[in-house]
Amino acid sequence: EPEVTQTPSHQVTQMGQEVILRCVPISNHLYFYWYRQILGQKVEFLVSFYNNEISEKSEIFDDQFSVERPDGSNFTLKIRSTKLEDSAMYFCASSSLNTDTQYFGPGTRLTVL
Amino acid sequence: RKEVEQDPGPFNVPEGATVAFNCTYSNSASQSFFWYRQDCRKEPKLLMSVYSSGNEDGRFTAQLNRASQYISLLIRDSKLSDSATYLCVVHRVPSASKLTFGTGTRLQVTL
């Protein structure tokens, strides 16, 4: 069964450093998403991406964040200058249509020290 | 008012019990509804979609009441493997592509 994959599974970084989280969505899907979950809190939407551009973003997704689909398979989330409060699980998801079920990857645990 | 509201639990039930979870949502424009399951430190996984007519998948039954903006999940004959957090999720397509999650209800099934 096709699945969303994410790398790395755990990323530790120093405050102020840039990180790039990587995702490979399901191959025939057209819509891509990033969500985050701070430990003990709910899953929160960050951004959705379609046709090589952002279709929607939340208030969390400020200028420190960016997304890119650099090739036909990868979908990345970059955090330019990490803060302590960026520590969370980051989940990538994809769907074939924006009305369809979103399938989640296993997540990247980001720890900012 | 929170967009999606759930009782966080935990619900501690013995194996074989029937347990019900409720969820309310605030935005009447919400169009699609789901229950996801999340195991500790894992990704959310779709359990089932929720339809106005109600739908059943084995031991799981989901119900939607649009007038009351209320969603429910019933689990019959609970198994130890049902222990997880159950997330109520709404989707406001076509106006927005994002999923909005509740905080989840924790279920612990015991021997």
Side-chain angles (χ1 to χ4, degrees), chain B residues 25-95:
Chain B
Y25 60 95
S26 60
N27 193 322
S28 58
S30 300
Q31 296 194 11
S32 299
F33 308 89
F34 308 92
W35 284 101
Y36 275 73
R37 170 194 169 128
Q38 186 174 32
D39 292 289
C40 190
R41 294 178 179 257
K42 300 283 190 183
E43 74 273 26
K45 290 189 176 174
L46 179 67
L47 181 65
M48 58 198 305
S49 303
V50 188
Y51 306 115
S52 297
S53 53
N55 49 304
E56 191 173 306
D57 183 1
R59 298 182 293 110
F60 299 84
T61 301
Q63 205 85 40
L64 165 65
N65 184 323
R66 284 188 187 272
S68 304
Q69 294 180 206
Y70 172 93
I71 303 159
S72 65
L73 176 69
L74 185 78
I75 305 176
R76 286 180 300 279
D77 189 23
S78 302
K79 312 286 184 201
L80 292 175
S81 56
D82 293 334
S83 298
T85 297
Y86 291 83
L87 308 175
C88 177
V89 182
V90 304
H91 196 189
R92 279 190 289 132
V93 290
S95 60

Side-chain angles (χ1 to χ4, degrees), chain A residues 2-113:
Chain A
E3 56 185 23
V4 177
T5 59
Q6 290 186 243
T7 53
S9 56
H10 191 186
Q11 173 93 48
V12 181
T13 189
Q14 295 288 329
M15 194 168 56
Q17 295 296 302
E18 174 184 287
V19 293
I20 297 176
L21 310 183
R22 291 184 166 78
C23 169
V24 179
I26 293 172
S27 63
N28 62 346
H29 283 185
L30 302 175
Y31 291 81
F32 315 114
Y33 313 86
W34 284 101
Y35 292 82
R36 80 169 186 192
Q37 186 175 30
I38 295 170
L39 188 64
Q41 297 187 24
K42 65 179 182 178
V43 177
E44 299 175 290
F45 170 78
L46 292 178
V47 65
S48 60
F49 191 85
Y50 169 70
N51 201 24
N52 278 320
E53 57 184 37
I54 290 173
S55 50
E56 188 181 358
K57 61 182 181 179
S58 72
E59 290 172 357
I60 303 167
F61 194 88
D62 62 21
D63 291 345
Q64 293 301 309
F65 291 87
S66 62
V67 289
E68 195 178 33
R69 189 155 161 82
D71 53 44
S73 60
N74 288 285
F75 177 51
T76 62
L77 174 70
K78 183 193 290 187
I79 310 174
R80 260 180 273 284
S81 176
T82 49
K83 306 183 190 68
L84 295 176
E85 55 265 36
D86 293 328
S87 295
M89 278 289 278
Y90 288 81
F91 294 109
C92 174
S94 69
S95 63
S96 53
L97 300 172
N98 72 335
T99 53
D100 277 0
T101 300
Q102 295 182 22
Y103 293 91
F104 284 75
T108 293
R109 177 167 301 282
L110 176 65
T111 302
V112 182
L113 302 175

Side-chain angles (χ1 to χ4, degrees), chain B residues 88-108:
Chain B
C88 177
V89 182
V90 304
H91 196 189
R92 279 190 289 132
V93 290
S95 60
S97 53
K98 68 177 187 179
L99 297 179
T100 301
F101 286 78
T103 51
T105 298
R106 174 125 177 75
L107 172 66
Q108 184 67 50

